[in-house]
Amino acid sequence: MSIRFADQVAAARRQDFVGRTAELAGFGRLLGADGGALVWVHGPGGVGKTSLLHQFAGLAEQAGRPVRWLDDAAVEGERLVVLSDGEPATEVLAALPADAVVAVASRSEPPLRYRTDPGWRSMLHPMPLANLGPDESRQLLARRHVPEAAHADALAFTHGHPLALALIADVHAQGRGPTPAAGPEVVATLLTALVDAVPGPSHRMALDAVSQVAATTEPLLAELLEVPDAHELFDWLRGLSVISAGTHGLVPHDLAREALARDLRWRHPQLHAAIHRRAGAYYRRQFGRAAPDDQRRILLDFAFLHRESPVIGAFLQHSPDGELRVVTADPPRWPQLRAMIERHEGAESAEIFDHWCRQSPEGVHAVVDGQGTAVGLVVLLTLYAADPADPAALAAWRCAAPAPGEAVSLVRYWLDAEVYQDPSPVQALVSINSVRHYLTTPHLGYALIYQSDPDLWAAMCEYVDFPRAPDADFTVGGRRYAGFGHDWRVTPRLAWLNLLATRETAEEPMAVEPPAAPTTMDRGAFAAAVREALREWNRPDRLAASPLLATRLAVGAPGEDGAPGESGAPGEGGAPGEGRVEALRAAFEQAAATMADAPRDRSAYRALHHTYLQPAGTQQAAADLLRLPMSTFRRHLAAGVERLTEILWQRESGR
């Protein structure tokens, strides 16, 4: 008996197939049952749905059951196994024999009508298909003769996606290795498989945008695309099989994000940088008005933008999961935390920890997992005076040289219970928690963090503008600890965030210098400049001449010294000073948002908003809009300008 060509193809498919053990076993059980069944295999493009259907066909033939594909001319007979590579019409399914076992491959989960109708639900067997595991991925690569040395790179890019693994194997088979796993042709093919044809350019830009951020909400999408309303595009994204609706917004599947992100960076680097700048500006505005519990998430989103950084990207690979938390440690936890310190730093260091438990218990924190077990710690102190009981506090105070009333922030201890100060999820969470502390602590003049291995952390600390501060070094228990510090008086918070945003999109991040010390103004000149800026609010050309552009409110903005401006179109750098104008406007808007959120300032905010920020046209029109007598309106407006000036002055002066 001669072997058909189709038989050779089927045999090769079976030999090349890996994984899906549970799915194959489940389908085998259905084949052995008497009744009919509807198996709905669903997952993103290229995840292996069609390949699995071919394996189902092989199982059916071994069980002696006839196999038909739904596009065959006739689908008739007893005990059929019917396969459909795509979602068939309901009436087509309804016409099949009652004892048929049907397997459908679709990018979407079973339609609602099948999940809610009692009749269809009794037949339905949803089968979501995920990526292959690491062992299965290596097995697939090995079967396709990909060198073992290339496996790690392939797995890091593909996350176990079968089509991606096959494409990488194809690159090696053509003798073009060691081609990078994310080469343009591989990414282009993946995008074709992952995403259906997009309706238009705006939809493609929406895909580009969602790949760059951790989670996308509708307002964030509008910001990234610079459109007033992103509702239609958001709904379109939500309907894609490669996009999931997460707790905080839309999240692409790992491979989809990787493919889209790498394609954008290769295809349109200017747009890639512009989306990152817009996202950073959005997060900075949101942080100022967010509740404390939301600030950590915003900072994680901000850190996500830096995941591709050649300097700190590797450290961010250990991003903390949702189960880890930083909590203030109550006294019963102190002995366990003390034991961690003694294990890694010695008895003398542990005794100093005892001092801080007594002196500043509010600064002693445990990092706990989902069961509440301590897996690390951080002692984060806010010093208003030198403390002779700790060499670290003395050295920090001497190095910072704070002015009267200024605070010094000190990360005195931080460690993972197992890996000490090596990169880990605990380290990432401690970093995020420290940044929130820096951005919310009043009167902060200087911040220090200590490292036991300065060579390991030097590049990352330099990147985030915490350079080595050798004057702050100290020795305890025969071990020297290296200080890294940031002077908030020279580079205040907004300027610091802007610096990180600029470095994040720069080709040579460390070539972007921190801003020079800002110009100081007295309170009277500052108030006059605020009033003048409000009058010129909708005239960026005149705002460009504001003396406030030389203050801390605008120093360090993207757009200076040739960096792309925040509001510049993709590929355009913007006029000199444009970035500072945008930073100044952002500072005003953040201050106004603070007023809007405070009940006692709300009336003043509304008068300010309708007169300057979103003008009604005239003061009389604004008063009419608010239904206020002119005298009352003017009183509220004066209070609004004064309150806005007060908030901005606090930020300018560091108070």
Side-chain angles (χ1 to χ4, degrees), residues 601-641:
D601 292 331
R602 204 157 289 154
S603 296
Y605 163 76
R606 289 170 180 160
L608 179 76
H609 178 81
H610 291 296
T611 302
Y612 296 117
L613 305 182
Q614 293 291 332
T618 65
Q619 289 193 15
Q620 184 62 59
D624 293 342
L625 182 65
L626 296 173
R627 299 180 180 179
L628 293 175
M630 196 62 185
S631 58
T632 304
F633 170 80
R634 286 174 176 163
R635 187 170 67 254
H636 287 175
L637 179 59
V641 174

Side-chain angles (χ1 to χ4, degrees), residues 4-179:
R4 297 180 304 157
F5 194 84
D7 295 332
Q8 288 186 316
V9 172
R13 283 176 178 152
R14 286 192 295 271
Q15 183 178 359
D16 195 58
F17 191 82
V18 300
R20 311 307 187 196
T21 305
E23 290 83 359
L24 292 171
F27 192 77
R29 287 192 293 271
L30 293 174
L31 291 177
D34 293 331
L38 174 58
V39 179
W40 200 278
V41 181
H42 61 95
V47 80
K49 301 182 295 295
T50 303
S51 296
L52 183 59
L53 257 59
H54 283 293
Q55 300 306 307
F56 288 170
L59 290 178
E61 291 171 354
Q62 292 173 20
R65 301 187 65 158
V67 177
R68 301 287 187 273
W69 287 85
L70 204 54
D71 56 359
D72 286 350
V75 184
E76 297 177 353
E78 296 181 355
R79 304 185 74 246
L80 290 178
V81 171
V82 182
L83 308 175
S84 176
D85 194 359
E87 181 178 337
T90 302
E91 54 269 24
V92 173
L93 290 176
L96 294 173
D99 62 353
V101 175
V102 184
V104 173
S106 172
R107 293 190 180 186
S108 304
E109 62 182 4
L112 189 63
R113 60 184 177 276
Y114 296 146
R115 290 179 279 138
T116 56
D117 181 274
W120 283 109
R121 192 172 66 239
S122 67
M123 307 271 294
L124 183 64
H125 297 269
M127 190 175 286
L129 213 55
N131 289 353
L132 298 174
D135 291 341
E136 296 166 335
S137 299
R138 293 187 184 92
Q139 185 181 0
L140 189 152
L141 292 171
R143 287 188 180 183
R144 299 199 178 192
H145 309 292
V146 176
E148 186 174 348
H151 288 190
D153 183 46
L155 266 64
F157 170 59
T158 64
H159 304 282
H161 188 277
L163 175 61
L165 291 166
L167 288 169
I168 290 169
D170 182 60
V171 170
H172 281 273
Q174 295 177 43
R176 286 176 288 161
T179 301

Side-chain angles (χ1 to χ4, degrees), residues 201-228:
S202 61
H203 296 78
R204 182 53 197 266
M205 279 194 67
L207 274 174
D208 289 334
V210 78
S211 73
Q212 301 302 307
V213 296
T216 305
T217 61
E218 191 173 312
L220 174 58
L221 183 62
E223 181 90 5
L224 299 181
L225 302 181
E226 293 189 319
V227 297

